[in-house]
Each structure stands twice: as C-alpha cells, then as structure tokens.
C-alpha cells in the first residue's frame, strides 16, 4: 500500500510508485500504473509525433494521477510542489499536441 503524506506526491516517488505498482498483482491500482507506463513508452516510439498517439499517450499518463487524486482526499494534493509541476506538465503537453497538429496540417513546400 502506498501512503501519501504532504509533499510525497512528486515526480521521482511517483515513477517508483508506477514501477512497483505495475507488478503488484490483483490490485486495481495496477491497471492505472500499467496505463501510465504505456503512455510513457508511447513517447519513445517512432509514432510519438502522430497527433492521435500523443493524445492517447497524454490520457494514459494522466490516468494514474487522476486515479490517485480520486482515491485520496484532495487536501493531500493541495500544495504548490504538486500543483506547479502538474500544471506545467498539462500545459506543455497540450502545447506539444497542438504543435504536432499544426505541423501535420502544413504541407512541406521545400524543394
């Protein structure tokens, strides 16, 4: 079982949580950990610049975070050391998706 104290839900411990929970069998959290890891793996494949893959990857990577927020009281996540990186991740990844979509729409006119 993973107990979250104030300040514990940061990047490095969350990666460890994903890795260890992915192999914690017969647990509902295992599903979300595997989905999150699949989202990370999609970012290093050759299809990473396709708009549909980036949207799918974004949703898969957010699923364990949303799961943890739903399972645990929201006051455990009410601190800037969690909110700022989460907001930056969401904002930057949405910009990445938009830039991929714009890049796909532009025809290549180079000779």
């Amino acid at each position: 079982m993973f107990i979250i104290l104030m300040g514990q839900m940061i990047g490095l411990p969350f990666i460890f949580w994903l890795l260890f929970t992915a192999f914690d069998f017969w647990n509902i959290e295992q599903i979300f950990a595997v989905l999150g890891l699949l989202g990370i793996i999609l970012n290093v494949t050759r299809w990473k610049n396709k708009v549909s893959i980036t949207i799918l990857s974004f949703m898969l990577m957010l699923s364990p975070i949303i799961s943890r927020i739903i399972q645990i009281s929201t006051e455990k996540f009410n601190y800037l050391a969690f909110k700022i990186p989460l907001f930056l991740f969401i904002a930057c990844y949405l910009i990445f998706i938009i830039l991929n979509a714009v890049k796909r729409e532009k025809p290549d006119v180079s000779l």
Side-chain angles (χ1 to χ4, degrees):
M1 170 138 353
F2 186 73
I3 299 173
I4 296 180
L5 302 172
M6 187 67 101
Q8 293 287 324
M9 200 62 167
I10 56 177
L12 192 59
F14 194 68
I15 292 293
F16 289 141
W17 179 85
L18 284 175
L19 292 172
F20 292 127
T21 306
F23 297 104
D24 185 17
F25 297 106
W26 310 116
N27 189 351
I28 191 70
E29 293 177 353
Q30 180 187 19
I31 296 169
F32 295 108
V34 169
L35 290 176
L37 290 172
L38 283 175
I40 293 170
I41 290 169
L42 280 175
N43 279 324
V44 296
T45 63
R46 64 179 185 187
W47 307 296
K48 67 182 173 189
N49 290 329
K50 292 186 177 186
V51 176
S52 58
I53 297 297
T54 56
I55 292 171
L56 177 65
S57 174
F58 179 62
M59 292 184 337
L60 289 174
M61 287 189 294
L62 276 182
S63 66
I65 297 170
I66 292 170
S67 166
R68 297 302 293 167
I69 290 173
I70 290 172
Q71 292 174 3
I72 298 172
S73 66
T74 56
E75 61 193 34
K76 298 281 185 185
F77 299 97
N78 194 15
Y79 58 98
L80 291 178
F82 175 75
K83 289 181 180 180
I84 291 173
L86 179 64
F87 174 74
L88 286 174
F89 167 72
I90 291 171
C92 291
Y93 211 89
L94 288 175
I95 290 170
F96 176 66
I97 292 171
I98 292 168
L99 289 176
N100 271 343
V102 169
K103 186 173 126 180
R104 292 281 179 208
E105 290 178 4
K106 284 185 179 180
D108 188 20
V109 293
S110 62
L111 295 176

